[in-house]
Amino acid sequence: MWITPEEVLLANALWVSERANPFFILQRRKGHGRGGGITGLLVGTLDVVLDSSARVAPYRILHQTGDSQLFWSIACGSSRKEITEHWEWLETNLLQTLSIFDNDDDITTFVKGKIQGIIAEENKSRQAQEDEDCGKFREAELKMRKLFGMPEEEKLVNYYSCSYWKGRVPRQGWLYLSVNHLCFYSFLLGKEVTLVVQWTDVTQLDKNATLVFPESVRVSTRDTEHYFSMFLNINDTFKLMEQLANIAMRQLLDNEGFAADRSLPKPCKTLKNVSALKRDLDARAKNERYRALFRLTQDERLDGHTDCTLWTPFAKMHVVGQMFVSNNYICFASREEDLCQLIIPLREVSIVEKADSSSVLPSPLSISTKNKMTFLFANLKDRDFLVQRISDFLQRTPDRLCGFAGQSVSQTYSKTGFSLLEKSYLPTAKQGLLSIYQKDQPEDLGPKATKEKMKEESWNIHFFEFGRGVCMYRTSKTRDLVLKGIPESLRGELWLLFSGAQNEMATHPGYYAELVETAMGKCTLATEEIERDLHRSMPEHHAFQNEMGIAALRRVLTAYAYRNPGIGYCQAMNIVTSVLLLYCTEEEAFWLLVALCERMLPDYYNTRVVGALVDQGVFEELTRECLPLLYEHMQDLGVISTISLSWFLTLFLSVMPFDSAVLLVDCFFYEGIKVIFQVSLAVLHANMEQLLACTDEGEAMTILGRYLDNVVNKQTVSTPIPHLHALLTSGDEPPPEIDAFELIKTSYEKFGSLRADVIEQMRFKQRLKVIQSLEDTAKRSVVRAIMTESAFTIEELEELYVLFKAKHIMSCYWGASSSAAERHDPSLPYLEQYRIDCGQFGQLFATMAPWSCGMHTATLSTRLFRLLDVNKDSLINFKEFVTGLSGMYHGDMTEKLKLLYKLHLPPGTHTLYTTVKDYKYYLRMWAKEKEPKKETIKDLPRMNQEQFIELCKTLYNMFSEDPLEQELYHAIATVASLLLRIGEVGKKFTNNGSKKSELQAPAAEEAVEKDDSSGEAGSGQSLVSKALAEAQLENTTPPANGSDEEAKDDTSISSYSVVSAGSLQCEDIADDTVLIGSASGGMGGAVGGNDCRRGSAPDGDWSISFEQVLASLLTEPALVNYFEKKHDIKSKMAACRSQRAVERQISSSSDHELAQLST
């Protein structure tokens, strides 16, 4: 590549000159290419350690004039081919021009200007992303692709200098972190270390410090562990590794590949050694933390944040913290946790103005909302810029319907949410089901009702002091009120507020009603499961013992399944949603369900409940840290994994009395998942002595079940609801009651130190384990499903599955003919989840098939792919892939020949699963559903002459690399001649039948017979001879210009030998014409001009059956031995595994080029 001219003082230091003329010198780096000795080793080591550009560009061109000792570097290259092109361009375009100049300074100025002009032209055509990346980073990316054989699609994120511990010896080198791979390269004194790990193979990622590995990062896969240390900033490196591994896990989970953020704002200046992708990932990490902190929607993007103070009127003081500005919100979080938090939606903002500065209140900013609240920020560093950004966002904010202070959410949205529902779906719950079914009950004036009134009054005072609605100040007092229990009249409103669902509902008015209108009435797998579970959702509650409650639950679940088909419906969603409907309207319950499934409990309710399994692992880890003695005992019993799943999936609603569990839901919506972990640990701690005395899992489950059954809410004003689980598990002597408020208080006292960021870190570790464990389970399930239908061993099937899946994932990395989403559907059975297209199948076929056909391999793989693709969607699954391989490796001679025969039949006429779809077939299937139809050789259609010729060509190419090549050629030529005669005889029988019907004379019959036997048989054999001759000539001469299809179908590799004349047992062809094609493509000798004309096109009436092919081949022992020979697939799989290494060697071939050119 051309580079901006730079001065070089010592031209020959560490470089060797290879070409020179009066103005330019072409040099090669010492140690690159053949030889180099100890100097070359030292130079190579120095280049790697210092990250010299000479490692990726070991060739360069210098400009020099006259006797000057000053040189200018103008071009560099990674291979001899590249640098030679630049050298030839200089000799062709500049040498003659430069000889005209008289002044050396003018020559140098002209050359520098010319090179800079070329670079400027190249820069115009570069992509915007490449323009953002600095030259040093682009150089590192080129180096990565060259060292590891990566394609252009593989993008480097960042690279670091570090040590890789190979055994007990550290190897200093460079760690390259790309979107899909972790790569390491080291070259020290001739010892080269190359490592490539796919992120999808990583099972564990740890940062630790031990005596052996001081402050190192451990990257674990299923097979081995890799240790890296000596990082300049290990924390930043580890965070980036975590992000990239998370992206890979997301890809395995739901096939979400990485897509660069095109809307990322460009930096004011090019950042040194920071790529656009690194900035993108940093921005994503900040966005995720911002959204999690303030419970915002997934499309919210942080624009920036700044230190400031906020005046808190309730405390009469300025609170130090940070202001966050995004496209729809202004948020504030105090530096001291729980002191103050604020969320201001821009749709609520009415005025933003700069107040007068003073020494007491520097750079103040006042923000007023539509509900008459004013917020005063101060100590803003760049107030003018901040006001401008907020103004820009305000101009883009649509004027949405919003709730005002003192107005309940259900009142605010009652007009927009159900206008469509009322038309067609009755009855409709326009308020919480609990309020509907309690309004007719007599008013209770007892102590519980008085306590409830006091709670309501406390919240009203809080609203008056701290504000009401989305702009409320959230402080430690807010949390204290939540822990004391939210009054039932305010529960729905506050759940919406704390979960962030209120904001999403406000920005999507009418969305739920339209969704219900669209989704209701459609029959899917999700709706069938919903109908099955509707009457199992809190059947003990009178709200769900009638059509109104059931219909409301049906609409909410169906609407969400339609909104998010990736989740659809999962068991436990019905229990949670039924509780939401007790306190909220349908629309509010829907948006709360959205907040739960998509933000607060991520991946909990997908098809494999991954999120719940991840948190189960986190809970086990927390138990080990907080209750180590109990953890060891519980692990022996296997209890933790059993109990925790039901606790987390239903938020204790299915294992605890309703009135008690709903208190935990109050805390959950305010604090998040940490509350569930705290209470779970508190439950184990309270039962520790009894659990330690348990001897089996059942006893431990009974103890915990009885304890949770007796957690009571003594302050509830609702009618007691019988708990079915308690009725079933109650013993002779009921245990003492446990106050739910005391349990929550104890959980905060003993385990309240849990932090959300620590939980997220633990979730990441567990996510790697869970997803990789699920992948292993999927592999075992697939192998078990097909092991009875395949002759491969379990180990071979598992290895084949890994290779097949790797091909699928590679298509997700680097693109393919169909999108990744079409290839992978997590909702499908494991057997059908991963699929590959024809191109990827061709790569696997070329590496693993026992039938090597040279250049004809691509044609054969395409035919086999068509045969395996039963549903004609241009994709095949693993079972279909194994079916094809199994026939080639483990079939007997008949099975192998049958497969070859079917490969040469026209597309669509036959598949591997042949059935005759008439009414008799369906009657038989009705009687014998589980009995598969055995395919016989009589079911195969007949093969015409053109297809037979293609079969002969395939067999010819298959034998080209066999040790018994000549013997096999002779055998196939004999069989081909025999089959041609059989086909001619069969045609005459057909012709005889028609002629007899026309009462033709026997003498005429015999005459025709004689003519046909001498002419048409010869013409058929000449076609085969011509085809084999063409196949043979393809081995030595390049194919002539023609269509792509012709080249695809007719090319083949192979033999260096010529089939002898005696190999075709045919008296009608002269000895000197067998298999020798003339320049015009015709045949010489005894075949006359008329025969040549007739032999130039296949005979349409000629045909043979599979039985005839099989019988003819059985006459040749060489062919029988070839097809009965057993092949070992293990060596083929090993070759396929090492294919990446081979590709890397081929991609960096400059050393070989140099060696060839120097000889």
Side-chain angles (χ1 to χ4, degrees), residues 718-748:
S718 301
T719 305
I721 302 170
H723 189 220
L724 295 181
H725 187 264
L727 295 175
L728 294 172
T729 58
S730 60
D732 300 332
E733 194 176 318
E737 293 182 342
I738 299 97
D739 188 359
F741 291 101
E742 285 298 320
L743 177 61
I744 294 172
K745 181 181 177 182
T746 302
S747 74
Y748 271 89

Side-chain angles (χ1 to χ4, degrees), residues 555-831:
R555 283 191 291 269
V556 173
L557 291 174
T558 303
Y560 186 77
Y562 187 80
R563 165 191 165 89
N564 191 342
I567 292 178
Y569 171 76
C570 174
Q571 284 188 340
M573 286 173 67
N574 59 322
I575 297 174
V576 175
T577 307
S578 59
V579 174
L580 299 179
L581 280 168
L582 290 175
Y583 299 99
C584 308
T585 67
E586 281 185 36
E587 185 176 18
E588 293 166 354
F590 170 79
W591 287 114
L592 278 171
L593 185 61
V594 170
L596 275 172
C597 296
E598 298 177 12
R599 297 198 297 277
M600 301 189 73
L601 296 175
D603 300 322
Y604 258 59
Y605 300 108
N606 58 21
T607 52
R608 296 190 276 181
V609 293
V610 171
L613 293 173
V614 168
D615 281 351
Q616 176 182 295
V618 172
F619 180 54
E620 290 187 16
E621 195 171 341
L622 289 172
T623 307
R624 186 175 67 239
E625 292 178 4
C626 302
L627 306 169
L629 189 61
L630 181 61
Y631 171 78
E632 294 295 335
H633 187 64
M634 296 282 278
Q635 281 295 98
D636 294 338
L637 299 179
V639 175
I640 296 180
S641 60
T642 307
I643 60 174
S644 56
L645 200 59
S646 60
W647 293 3
F648 295 142
L649 272 174
T650 62
L651 303 176
F652 283 95
L653 289 166
S654 64
V655 295
M656 196 181 284
F658 167 74
D659 295 323
S660 305
V662 79
L663 297 175
L664 297 182
V665 178
D666 291 343
C667 300
F668 168 75
F669 277 122
Y670 187 79
E671 292 272 32
I673 193 64
K674 62 171 284 189
V675 174
I676 305 300
F677 287 125
Q678 288 175 190
V679 173
S680 301
L681 290 169
V683 170
L684 292 183
H685 183 267
N687 295 275
M688 183 182 292
E689 291 183 6
Q690 292 175 280
L691 290 172
L692 288 173
C694 290
T695 57
D696 59 56
E697 179 186 356
E699 186 180 355
M701 294 286 291
T702 302
I703 290 171
L704 291 171
R706 286 190 178 183
Y707 178 87
L708 292 172
D709 290 338
N710 288 276
V711 177
V712 297
N713 178 6
K714 298 179 181 179
Q715 299 178 13
T716 182
V717 294
S718 301
T719 305
I721 302 170
H723 189 220
L724 295 181
H725 187 264
L727 295 175
L728 294 172
T729 58
S730 60
D732 300 332
E733 194 176 318
E737 293 182 342
I738 299 97
D739 188 359
F741 291 101
E742 285 298 320
L743 177 61
I744 294 172
K745 181 181 177 182
T746 302
S747 74
Y748 271 89
E749 289 173 352
K750 294 184 178 297
F751 308 105
S753 59
L754 286 179
R755 293 173 54 88
D757 56 342
V758 175
I759 290 174
E760 283 303 315
Q761 182 67 30
M762 296 169 77
R763 274 178 165 178
F764 164 73
K765 292 182 182 178
Q766 295 300 326
R767 192 176 293 116
L768 288 179
K769 292 180 182 177
V770 167
I771 293 179
Q772 296 292 13
S773 175
L774 289 173
E775 291 296 310
D776 291 340
T777 302
K779 178 175 70 175
R780 289 192 295 270
S781 300
V782 169
V783 169
R784 278 199 304 268
I786 64 175
M787 61 183 296
T788 57
E789 303 176 22
S790 169
F792 290 116
T793 65
I794 294 177
E795 292 76 14
E796 289 170 346
L797 286 173
E798 288 182 347
E799 184 65 26
L800 284 172
Y801 180 83
V802 170
L803 295 172
F804 185 88
K805 177 183 159 187
K807 275 297 174 195
H808 164 87
I809 292 176
M810 204 73 73
S811 71
C812 302
Y813 292 167
W814 299 327
S817 58
S818 61
S819 67
E822 294 174 354
R823 299 156 173 272
H824 178 59
D825 183 357
S827 64
L828 291 174
Y830 290 137
L831 192 60

Side-chain angles (χ1 to χ4, degrees), residues 941-952:
R942 297 178 70 84
M943 178 179 281
N944 65 30
Q945 195 174 82
E946 184 178 3
Q947 295 155 9
F948 172 69
I949 291 171
E950 289 298 319
L951 175 61
C952 290

